[in-house]
Amino acid sequence: MDNGTTRSQRFGRRRFLGAAGAGTAALLAASAARSATPDPAITEVQDWARGLGDGVATRPYGMPSEFEKHVVRRDVEWLTASRQSSVSFTPLHSLDGVITPSGLCFERHHAGIADIDPAKHRLMINGLVDRQMVYTLDDLKRFPGRVGRIHFLECAANTGMEWRGAQLNGCQFTHGMVHNVAYTGIPLRMLLDHCGVRTNGRWLLAEGGDAAAMTRSLPLDKAMKDCLVAWAMNGEALRPEQGYPLRLVVPGWEGNMWVKWLRRIEVGDQPWHHREETSKYTDLLADGRARRFTWIMDAKSVVANPSPQAPLRHRGPNVLSGLAWSGRDAIRRVDVSLDGGRNWRTARIDEPVLSPSFVRFYAEFDWNGSELLVQSRAIDATGYVQPTKHELRRFRGTNSIYHNNGIQTWLVRPNGETENVEIS
Ligand SMILES: Nc1nc2c(c(=O)[nH]1)N[C@H]1C(S)=C(S)[C@@H](COP(=O)(O)O)O[C@H]1N2
Ligand SMILES: [Mo]
């Protein structure tokens, strides 16, 4: 048992060196064993090497290898009544690094995907401003001050099905309502300054151009601090699913506020109390009161490998891998446990470390085939430590849907199969 930060870091490093040493030896042993019998993967000329392959630009827009076709967004059919007002999940267990490929970003739509002709799209800014403005896409792309930023977007309902116990078998489904993307756009502050917010302006209403015309109230302070009006993701135009041609980026805050297909921003002096901030995106507590305006996404993490869709296949050296993020501040440390939280070691956080953004963590370990209870916990620069599910329920009860950032446990069985479990 080690609880001190320094001790645990030192312990972690020593374990890591030991594991890496053992790992190299084991890998050498494995390749020596293989060389005893001829391996057709080495001795035979493979089909793909017998003739010419496709020429350039025969695949004008590049797609993943056909052998990767299982790596897709998935939905849970019983969860919603229609596919238009529904959600698909990011396959976190099949990804690496911190950037979510555009085609694999989870989707959450209230009225399906709007396919918008950018030539017919406008962004209006009205309300308590000196000059009401209407911008075309071209206007925005010519606007001085364009920036790029990498941010996670997490739906407040991510992990919402797990409040009453372990339910969905796979981190895609328990944690896949999150993506992390590089955006390009204009700081919202610059557009608001251009319109001249009146002194009594305190709140914004952001409105989407889809059939849901989804609206959310946003405090002016946040808009002035770090929000973007973005038209690009991962270096190309936004995908229709993510709000083409324009979306609001609200770093660290719940996904619902990141209005897609953004067509209007109204400046007002108080919040609008629309559907998405009253009947939805509020947290009903045990005593019947509800928390409102719980915008910030607290520190959270999940082990993606191993996980139910990515079981452990090999005894001996393995690499545990996962993601951590916090809407409050940078991720400072991620701890991992293989015994259900009794012992923790510090994981290795890979670069780049941005905030608020995904960070990728790894921990090398040796598996002797015994049962494991795999967990991770994120700690951010405010000192906030990701709580256990038990701790979370002490404050929040079990009526909530949103903002479940409790520590996830995966049970790895001796045969490697991995399950979503909860331990007290
Ligand atoms: N116009 C509009 N914006 C929207 C939504 C929507 O249905 N319509 N869904 C919201 C919700 S609830 C979330 S979690 C995020 C999801 O963003 P994504 O589809 O890029 O993952 O978009 C938000 N913005
Ligand atoms: Mo959401």
Side-chain angles (χ1 to χ4, degrees):
M1 181 91 164
D2 65 294
N3 4 23
T5 309
T6 342
R7 241 184 73 93
S8 115
Q9 271 166 350
R10 230 183 292 130
F11 178 62
R13 197 164 311 126
R14 223 180 315 130
R15 278 259 303 249
F16 162 52
L17 288 174
T24 315
L27 290 176
L28 289 175
S31 55
R34 261 184 222 130
S35 69
T37 47
D39 180 354
I42 297 169
T43 55
E44 303 302 311
V45 176
Q46 305 296 325
D47 286 349
W48 51 84
R50 287 179 197 277
L52 295 175
D54 285 350
V56 295
T58 47
R59 305 173 190 185
Y61 193 100
M63 297 296 282
S65 157
E66 62 172 302
F67 300 102
E68 299 295 321
K69 57 171 175 269
H70 57 285
V71 181
V72 287
R73 299 191 273 234
R74 293 182 194 278
D75 61 343
V76 175
E77 262 171 53
W78 53 261
L79 207 57
T80 53
S82 84
R83 280 206 148 144
Q84 282 71 34
S85 181
S86 193
V87 60
S88 68
F89 300 87
T90 308
L92 298 176
H93 60 292
S94 300
L95 303 179
D96 214 329
V98 294
I99 296 293
T100 314
S102 299
L104 296 175
C105 286
F106 90 96
E107 318 148 85
R108 171 78 181 95
H109 318 306
H110 288 75
I113 302 160
D115 272 310
I116 295 181
D117 175 353
K120 294 183 186 157
H121 191 74
R122 306 284 182 270
L123 173 64
M124 177 193 287
I125 300 186
N126 69 333
L128 300 176
V129 287
D130 293 333
R131 276 179 311 269
Q132 314 217 356
M133 295 292 300
V134 173
Y135 302 96
T136 64
L137 257 295
D138 285 345
D139 293 338
L140 294 174
K141 289 180 181 172
R142 284 186 286 110
F143 207 92
R146 184 195 305 196
V147 295
R149 298 278 185 273
I150 296 176
H151 293 306
F152 78 82
L153 179 169
E154 183 180 19
C155 177
N158 198 21
T159 323
M161 284 82 80
E162 305 288 310
W163 270 108
R164 290 175 186 176
Q167 172 146 233
L168 296 172
N169 235 355
C171 71
Q172 177 164 22
F173 305 112
T174 56
H175 288 75
M177 275 195 243
V178 64
H179 53 61
N180 197 64
V181 160
Y183 296 96
T184 312
I186 292 287
L188 179 51
R189 175 174 51 80
M190 294 188 169
L191 298 178
L192 292 170
D193 285 346
H194 189 229
C195 299
V197 174
R198 301 234 168 110
T199 48
N200 55 340
R202 290 281 178 282
W203 286 81
L204 306 183
L205 183 75
E207 179 184 76
D210 52 336
M214 213 206 75
T215 46
R216 253 330 267 266
S217 305
L218 177 76
L220 183 68
D221 288 351
K222 177 64 174 174
M224 293 308 233
K225 186 177 166 221
D226 58 4
C227 292
L228 302 181
V229 171
W231 56 80
M233 65 190 279
N234 294 339
E236 60 182 355
L238 287 171
R239 293 288 168 88
E241 301 93 303
Q242 266 64 48
Y244 179 88
L246 221 52
R247 100 172 295 166
L248 194 59
V249 170
V250 189
W253 287 26
E254 62 187 19
N256 185 258
M257 311 188 78
W258 299 48
V259 173
K260 302 193 276 192
W261 311 293
L262 180 69
R263 72 167 175 204
R264 192 169 71 91
I265 292 171
E266 184 178 338
V267 182
D269 57 1
Q270 51 189 350
W272 277 258
H273 306 293
H274 280 185
R275 175 182 181 274
E276 306 291 318
E277 51 214 20
T278 52
S279 98
K280 298 288 177 282
Y281 296 98
T282 50
D283 310 314
L284 185 58
L285 301 174
D287 65 4
R289 290 178 309 145
R291 305 195 310 168
R292 293 194 60 198
F293 297 140
T294 44
W295 300 303
I296 302 180
M297 301 310 293
D298 277 315
K300 186 164 171 177
S301 67
V302 67
V303 173
N305 306 91
S307 65
Q309 298 154 291
L312 268 188
R313 290 292 180 214
H314 301 282
R315 294 193 179 188
N318 276 285
V319 182
L320 177 153
S321 166
L323 293 163
W325 59 95
S326 166
R328 273 185 209 283
D329 210 332
I331 291 291
R332 265 295 135 75
R333 203 177 91 207
V334 179
D335 296 333
V336 297
S337 175
L338 300 178
D339 56 9
R342 241 173 295 167
N343 294 282
W344 293 96
R345 57 185 277 215
T346 303
R348 148 171 100 74
I349 291 181
D350 198 21
E351 292 181 25
V353 179
L354 301 164
S355 170
S357 160
F358 277 177
V359 301
R360 169 68 57 176
F361 61 87
Y362 299 109
E364 282 73 12
F365 69 103
D366 261 301
W367 186 47
N368 60 12
S370 64
E371 212 170 75
L372 305 176
L373 289 167
V374 177
Q375 298 184 331
S376 65
R377 73 172 173 210
I379 297 145
D380 72 18
T382 67
Y384 177 94
V385 181
Q386 184 183 355
T388 64
K389 293 191 175 177
H390 193 65
E391 283 164 349
L392 198 58
R393 287 194 193 103
R394 281 223 321 269
F395 292 97
R396 299 275 307 282
T398 50
N399 294 328
S400 285
I401 299 169
Y402 308 107
H403 295 281
N404 181 349
N405 67 325
I407 291 174
Q408 175 65 45
T409 311
W410 305 126
L411 164 68
V412 178
R413 296 191 182 282
N415 66 2
E417 295 303 317
T418 301
E419 259 177 61
N420 180 5
V421 298
E422 206 175 293
I423 50 175
S424 46

